Amino acid sequence: MAVKIADTYITISGLRVFARHGVMPTERLVGNDFTVDAVLYYNAAKAMDDDEINQAVNYAEAVKIIQQTMNQSSRLLEHVTGRIIRALTAAFPAITRGTVTVTKLTPPVAAQLAGTSFTATFTVK
C-alpha cells in the first residue's frame, strides 16, 4: 500500500529561556522568564527514508539558535519573534513555513495570568 505524507514538521514546545525583553527599562534590566514554541515545516521525506540527521532540520541546532536570539534584548515580543524566524530560516533553508510563539511568563500588568504571547505564522518565499 502506498502512503502519501501530507506535511512534515518539527515542533519545539515550551523552550524556557530567561531574557531581557520589554518596553520598560526595568524589564530589560531585571529580565523575565519566557517560553518559545516553534512549528517548522520542511520536506522530511529523505530523513524519513535515510535516517540521516543532515536530511532533517536539527532540533538541537534550532534550540541553540532560538536561545542565542533570545539573548539579544528587544523591546517588543513582535521584534524578537521576527528575529527568531529570520535566524531559523537563514540557518535551515529547507524550512518552508511555520509558526513561532514567544510568551512572557510574568508580564508587568496588574492581573493574574499565565503569560502574554505573540505568535507569527510565516511562509518562506
Side-chain angles (χ1 to χ4, degrees):
M1 170 179 10
V3 175
K4 183 179 184 323
I5 305 294
D7 279 319
T8 56
Y9 53 91
I10 63 166
T11 302
I12 298 168
S13 300
L15 173 60
R16 195 171 178 115
V17 180
F18 178 82
R20 299 178 188 281
H21 305 300
V23 172
M24 307 299 282
T26 305
E27 292 180 275
R28 292 189 304 279
L29 179 67
V30 174
N32 206 323
D33 289 317
F34 294 80
T35 58
V36 179
D37 299 288
V39 179
L40 307 171
Y41 288 81
Y42 70 102
N43 183 343
K46 287 184 180 180
M48 292 171 70
D49 289 340
D50 298 343
D51 197 26
E52 296 292 335
I53 189 67
N54 63 347
Q55 301 294 335
V57 171
N58 183 330
Y59 61 79
E61 290 299 318
V63 165
K64 282 184 196 176
I65 289 167
I66 293 168
Q67 290 170 323
Q68 290 169 349
T69 305
M70 288 293 290
N71 280 334
Q72 302 165 2
S73 183
S74 288
R75 292 183 325 142
L76 301 176
L77 294 178
E78 292 86 344
H79 186 256
V80 71
T81 303
R83 288 191 300 109
I84 290 168
I85 291 168
R86 287 189 295 277
L88 288 170
T89 55
F92 300 106
I95 295 173
T96 58
R97 62 188 170 104
T99 301
V100 174
T101 300
V102 177
T103 301
K104 183 181 288 189
L105 297 178
T106 54
V109 297
Q112 283 193 322
L113 48 98
T116 55
S117 301
F118 178 76
T119 299
T121 298
F122 65 92
T123 302
V124 179
K125 294 181 180 181

